Amino acid sequence: MSVDMSQFFGVFFEESQEHLDTMEHLLMEMSLDDPDPEDLNSIFRAAHSIKGGSGVFGFDALTGLTHVMENILDLARKEKLIITRPIVDQLLITIDRLKIILDCYQSEEAIDWDAIQKEIVALEALLGPKGGANSDDEVIDEGFGLFDTVVSGDDDDFGFFDALDEPPAREEKSYGFYETDEGESKSQTSEPEELDELAYALSDDDFGFFDDEPDASPIIENTTDKKTNQETLVSTQPDAKTTVQPSSPAANKNVASAHAKTVPDKSDSAAKKPKIDAKESSSIRVDTMKIDSLVNLVGELVITQSMIKIVGRDVHGEVEEKLEGAIGELSRNIREIQEAVMSMRMLPMSFAFNRFPRVVRDLAGKLEKEVDLVIEGGATEIDKGMIEKLVDPLTHLIRNSVDHGIEMPNIRAAKGKPRNGTVVLNAEQRGSSIIISITDDGAGLNREKILAKAMQNGLPVNHDTPDAQVWPLIFEAGFSTAEAVTDVSGRGVGMDVVRRNIESIGGAIDIQSAHEKGSVFRIRLPLTLAIVDGMCVSVTDQTFIIPLTNIIESIQPSKAQIKTIGNEQLLWVRGEYWPLLALHELMDIEGANTDPSTAIVVLVETARKRFGLLIDALEGQQQVVIKSLEQHYKRVPGVAGATIMGDGGVALILDIESIAAVVTIPNQTELTHAG
Amino acid sequence: MPAKVKDEQTVSDSQQEFLTFVLGEENYALDIMTVKEIRGYESVTKIAKAPPYIKGVLNLRGDIVPIIDLRIKFEVGKATYDEFTIVIMLMIGDRVVGIVVDEVSDVIKVDADDIRPAPEFGVAFDSAYLHGLTTINEQMIILVNIEKLISSDELGLYDNSQTVEQG
């Protein structure tokens, strides 16, 4: 091929990654007793697509391995091979190997051919006895396989280019190949049923192609490329035919199917909106950079809107009313645009969750434990950037739950628990937060061990320290209560990295644990990283933003509500003492109102603590765009970021979570007795 | 006047262009390639617990940019702010930072041969942050290695001394 193929590598890598994930996911879900033929087909198709693509691009390592894999899967879906656990295991290992190879190709590193050869041998070993018993099968299969490499490569190539070629396919119908398609597609439009029948009549393979189609999402490319792409397409097509001709009869059967494959595929694009799969052409791959710049622009729009609002204050009379109406309309529209733009960045949590069944399975196998992973709320949507940063902490927490939380089956049985431990991974949206929890029904955290370790590390704890303050100790650096360092966990570096990672995306983590009942790790994350609803508050002439999610209420306390214990001020609200922090002290501002009874107290809460924040005045509620301080400066304690106000000035957004860290919770009962 | 700048002359390899500015009564110069823009001083948003020479942050067309006052840091002149106070916005690596100066005077071209090593004393800046000295119109000008200074641990502007290209 004369065309520079490297421009399509990116798409191939991305798609192959998706195919591998699909395969892994389906293999994990497959029930061994009664495998769903459709699942087997999907797995087969995924392997097939990778093989085809890699063949076209000359990634021989991928082609070789997927080819053997495909043989096994093909036998399985034809019910000539019973899928057993060892087979699934081996296939999963192969998928891992394929991922490594893919990475190697992507980063242009050397391929470990020996390892691949070993995988191939291991895979063929699965086929071995079968092939010996039924040599006929073997021959046909080989024929299929060999031939398929060529045709499928071509046909997948076709699939690849399809998206790119779509417009020319409709515009320039002079190429022989398209003509056929056109004819076919016309027949489809007139008699859709016929096509359906055709599709069914052919092997599952081609029908599968439809299912596959959404994966090959249309790609927007330079129009200049289209012509060359098409030429590639046309030049390869005859190749396929000629290669195919001298094949065995068995292969010839496949020629037909291979050709037919392209028919529905092509008619898809020609008929534009096929009835078979409405999802086709409903998605489009866009560079995240473009979405990010859109998010930024919407941010600027929010700022501009608040500017207009400020200018609007100087307008009076009849115009004022009109202006107010228009601004109201504008802000509604902006909010909708913002939601739409943000939703583009949103991905379902399942993108992160889907890898965990595998993690749990492998780990449980290694530890000889029996663990079921239950995933709930995989459809909950979350910012893409956050998903990427969540994978590592979640993996660690889940491994932790399986390794430390869930007991060995016989111990569980002795305790009267079911032998199978359960880990529940849940995601849900609450207001503008996402809560992800990892719940296990294991032994729970060992309070004594943690305390002993904490004392050994010189942390300020004693035997009366409440649970709520004991559990977070496991997030301290160098803290591991595991008796032995395994290759799974126990080095004591993990948990503190987990917390740091979660805090770096504006989240918080807390733990609940009950002895012999299990533990819950709960991660609370903001829905988005870009825009926050906030309350503007002022201290002297400075404005600060408190995220609305943290605010419970704002009050002006009476003198009687203020108690002073030592240097600490406490606020008595509805039968509870709240620690009181002065924002002007936190932020080093002079000349602020220090008397809580004439100032305002904002009651705020975090996942763990509640306290009052003393400020001078409330200025109003507003959406603010979070700008990074770190981009040109550094992280400031107690500050989550900055924002630009309507007047062009900068206001700091308070990080209530980190401010809460300095708050000491008063002992309620003691105070009540004292008071 | 051999040292007089000839504006028409193109900058040769051995020549470098500097922007001269005044702190107190001393003349300084910094590499003009680091200058993003020059603007008047406007009020900034203070940052809690920052050293006094970090005046705060301001909004530079959507970016939150820190402003530092070298007069306070190096105790030269008086840190007064009026309508003549100037902020030089610098682009150091990919970070933007503003420095407050009393006056911006000229753009000069300096030949590498004309740069003499800075003395170890007598200058407010540590000699590590200086390219050297040069004389223009019999006036001593201190050439500051602004990139090194801004990204230094001493200013503490960035976390864990970011790797910024050295000039």
Side-chain angles (χ1 to χ4, degrees), chain B residues 24-48:
Chain B
E25 292 178 351
E26 291 172 33
N27 286 296
Y28 293 85
L30 53 82
D31 182 0
I32 201 156
M33 295 313 286
T34 60
V35 178
K36 190 177 157 76
E37 65 183 74
I38 298 168
R39 50 194 281 153
Y41 183 82
E42 52 189 294
S43 71
V44 295
T45 301
K46 289 193 193 71
I47 289 179

Short mmCIF file of all heavy atoms in Angstrom, two decimals, chain B residues 24-48:
data_model
loop_
_atom_site.label_atom_id
_atom_site.label_comp_id
_atom_site.label_asym_id
_atom_site.label_seq_id
_atom_site.Cartn_x
_atom_site.Cartn_y
_atom_site.Cartn_z
N GLY B 24 14.35 51.23 43.25
CA GLY B 24 14.98 52.23 44.12
C GLY B 24 15.82 53.15 43.27
O GLY B 24 15.29 53.84 42.40
N GLU B 25 17.14 53.12 43.46
CA GLU B 25 17.99 54.00 42.66
C GLU B 25 18.94 53.22 41.77
O GLU B 25 19.84 53.78 41.17
CB GLU B 25 18.77 54.94 43.60
CG GLU B 25 17.81 55.91 44.25
CD GLU B 25 18.48 56.86 45.22
OE1 GLU B 25 19.68 56.66 45.51
OE2 GLU B 25 17.79 57.75 45.69
N GLU B 26 18.72 51.92 41.70
CA GLU B 26 19.62 51.12 40.90
C GLU B 26 18.97 50.73 39.58
O GLU B 26 17.77 50.56 39.49
CB GLU B 26 20.02 49.84 41.66
CG GLU B 26 20.91 50.13 42.86
CD GLU B 26 21.13 48.90 43.73
OE1 GLU B 26 21.17 47.79 43.16
OE2 GLU B 26 21.24 49.06 44.95
N ASN B 27 19.84 50.62 38.57
CA ASN B 27 19.37 50.21 37.24
C ASN B 27 19.60 48.72 37.04
O ASN B 27 20.71 48.22 37.24
CB ASN B 27 20.14 50.98 36.17
CG ASN B 27 19.67 52.41 36.10
OD1 ASN B 27 18.52 52.69 35.78
ND2 ASN B 27 20.57 53.32 36.45
N TYR B 28 18.56 48.05 36.64
CA TYR B 28 18.64 46.63 36.40
C TYR B 28 18.20 46.36 34.97
O TYR B 28 17.59 47.23 34.32
CB TYR B 28 17.74 45.85 37.35
CG TYR B 28 18.17 45.90 38.79
CD1 TYR B 28 17.79 46.96 39.62
CD2 TYR B 28 18.95 44.88 39.34
CE1 TYR B 28 18.20 47.01 40.94
CE2 TYR B 28 19.36 44.93 40.66
CZ TYR B 28 18.98 46.00 41.46
OH TYR B 28 19.38 46.03 42.76
N ALA B 29 18.49 45.16 34.51
CA ALA B 29 18.00 44.78 33.19
C ALA B 29 17.70 43.29 33.19
O ALA B 29 18.33 42.52 33.91
CB ALA B 29 19.05 45.10 32.13
N LEU B 30 16.71 42.91 32.42
CA LEU B 30 16.41 41.48 32.30
C LEU B 30 16.21 41.12 30.83
O LEU B 30 15.90 41.99 30.00
CB LEU B 30 15.19 41.09 33.15
CG LEU B 30 13.89 41.86 33.00
CD1 LEU B 30 13.11 41.34 31.83
CD2 LEU B 30 13.06 41.71 34.27
N ASP B 31 16.41 39.87 30.51
CA ASP B 31 16.31 39.38 29.14
C ASP B 31 14.92 39.68 28.58
O ASP B 31 13.91 39.26 29.14
CB ASP B 31 16.55 37.85 29.16
CG ASP B 31 16.50 37.27 27.76
OD1 ASP B 31 16.29 38.05 26.81
OD2 ASP B 31 16.68 36.05 27.63
N ILE B 32 14.91 40.40 27.50
CA ILE B 32 13.63 40.87 26.97
C ILE B 32 12.76 39.72 26.47
O ILE B 32 11.55 39.83 26.39
CB ILE B 32 13.85 41.92 25.86
CG1 ILE B 32 12.57 42.76 25.71
CG2 ILE B 32 14.24 41.26 24.55
CD1 ILE B 32 12.80 44.10 25.14
N MET B 33 13.39 38.60 26.16
CA MET B 33 12.61 37.47 25.65
C MET B 33 11.68 36.88 26.71
O MET B 33 10.76 36.14 26.39
CB MET B 33 13.53 36.37 25.11
CG MET B 33 14.35 36.79 23.90
SD MET B 33 13.37 37.60 22.65
CE MET B 33 12.48 36.18 22.00
N THR B 34 11.94 37.19 27.96
CA THR B 34 11.07 36.66 29.01
C THR B 34 9.87 37.58 29.26
O THR B 34 8.96 37.22 30.01
CB THR B 34 11.83 36.50 30.34
OG1 THR B 34 12.31 37.77 30.75
CG2 THR B 34 12.97 35.54 30.21
N VAL B 35 9.90 38.78 28.66
CA VAL B 35 8.84 39.74 28.97
C VAL B 35 7.60 39.46 28.13
O VAL B 35 7.68 39.33 26.91
CB VAL B 35 9.33 41.18 28.71
CG1 VAL B 35 8.21 42.18 28.97
CG2 VAL B 35 10.52 41.49 29.59
N LYS B 36 6.48 39.32 28.81
CA LYS B 36 5.22 39.08 28.12
C LYS B 36 4.52 40.39 27.84
O LYS B 36 4.08 40.64 26.74
CB LYS B 36 4.34 38.19 29.01
CG LYS B 36 3.11 37.64 28.36
CD LYS B 36 2.41 36.71 29.37
CE LYS B 36 0.94 36.54 29.08
NZ LYS B 36 0.72 35.62 27.94
N GLU B 37 4.44 41.23 28.84
CA GLU B 37 3.87 42.55 28.66
C GLU B 37 4.20 43.43 29.84
O GLU B 37 4.65 42.96 30.89
CB GLU B 37 2.35 42.47 28.46
CG GLU B 37 1.59 41.95 29.67
CD GLU B 37 0.10 41.81 29.39
OE1 GLU B 37 -0.24 40.86 28.66
OE2 GLU B 37 -0.68 42.64 29.89
N ILE B 38 3.96 44.72 29.67
CA ILE B 38 4.22 45.68 30.74
C ILE B 38 2.92 46.42 31.00
O ILE B 38 2.23 46.84 30.07
CB ILE B 38 5.33 46.67 30.32
CG1 ILE B 38 6.63 45.91 30.08
CG2 ILE B 38 5.53 47.73 31.39
CD1 ILE B 38 7.69 46.74 29.39
N ARG B 39 2.54 46.51 32.26
CA ARG B 39 1.28 47.17 32.55
C ARG B 39 1.37 47.91 33.87
O ARG B 39 2.32 47.73 34.62
CB ARG B 39 0.13 46.15 32.59
CG ARG B 39 0.43 44.95 33.47
CD ARG B 39 -0.53 43.83 33.22
NE ARG B 39 -1.81 44.07 33.88
CZ ARG B 39 -2.97 43.58 33.45
NH1 ARG B 39 -3.02 42.88 32.36
NH2 ARG B 39 -4.08 43.80 34.13
N GLY B 40 0.39 48.76 34.11
CA GLY B 40 0.37 49.53 35.36
C GLY B 40 -0.01 48.62 36.52
O GLY B 40 -0.59 47.54 36.33
N TYR B 41 0.31 49.08 37.71
CA TYR B 41 -0.02 48.28 38.88
C TYR B 41 -1.49 48.42 39.19
O TYR B 41 -2.03 49.52 39.19
CB TYR B 41 0.82 48.75 40.08
CG TYR B 41 0.59 47.92 41.32
CD1 TYR B 41 1.24 46.70 41.49
CD2 TYR B 41 -0.29 48.35 42.32
CE1 TYR B 41 1.03 45.94 42.62
CE2 TYR B 41 -0.52 47.58 43.46
CZ TYR B 41 0.15 46.37 43.61
OH TYR B 41 -0.07 45.61 44.71
N GLU B 42 -2.15 47.31 39.43
CA GLU B 42 -3.53 47.38 39.89
C GLU B 42 -3.69 46.49 41.11
O GLU B 42 -2.83 45.67 41.39
CB GLU B 42 -4.49 46.98 38.78
CG GLU B 42 -4.15 45.64 38.15
CD GLU B 42 -4.99 45.39 36.90
OE1 GLU B 42 -6.20 45.24 37.04
OE2 GLU B 42 -4.42 45.35 35.79
N SER B 43 -4.78 46.70 41.82
CA SER B 43 -4.90 46.01 43.10
C SER B 43 -4.98 44.50 42.86
O SER B 43 -5.52 44.02 41.87
CB SER B 43 -6.13 46.50 43.85
OG SER B 43 -7.28 46.03 43.20
N VAL B 44 -4.42 43.77 43.81
CA VAL B 44 -4.35 42.32 43.67
C VAL B 44 -5.17 41.68 44.79
O VAL B 44 -5.55 42.33 45.74
CB VAL B 44 -2.90 41.82 43.74
CG1 VAL B 44 -2.10 42.32 42.59
CG2 VAL B 44 -2.26 42.22 45.06
N THR B 45 -5.42 40.40 44.64
CA THR B 45 -6.08 39.64 45.69
C THR B 45 -5.01 39.00 46.56
O THR B 45 -4.15 38.27 46.06
CB THR B 45 -6.96 38.54 45.07
OG1 THR B 45 -7.90 39.18 44.22
CG2 THR B 45 -7.68 37.75 46.15
N LYS B 46 -5.07 39.32 47.83
CA LYS B 46 -4.03 38.82 48.73
C LYS B 46 -4.16 37.32 48.91
O LYS B 46 -5.24 36.74 48.81
CB LYS B 46 -4.16 39.50 50.09
CG LYS B 46 -3.76 40.95 50.08
CD LYS B 46 -3.62 41.45 51.52
CE LYS B 46 -3.53 42.96 51.55
NZ LYS B 46 -4.84 43.59 51.23
N ILE B 47 -3.03 36.71 49.19
CA ILE B 47 -3.02 35.28 49.47
C ILE B 47 -2.57 35.08 50.91
O ILE B 47 -1.57 35.65 51.33
CB ILE B 47 -2.08 34.54 48.50
CG1 ILE B 47 -2.73 34.54 47.12
CG2 ILE B 47 -1.83 33.12 48.95
CD1 ILE B 47 -1.92 33.89 46.08
N ALA B 48 -3.34 34.28 51.61
CA ALA B 48 -3.06 34.08 53.02
C ALA B 48 -1.68 33.46 53.23
O ALA B 48 -1.28 32.59 52.47
CB ALA B 48 -4.12 33.18 53.63
#
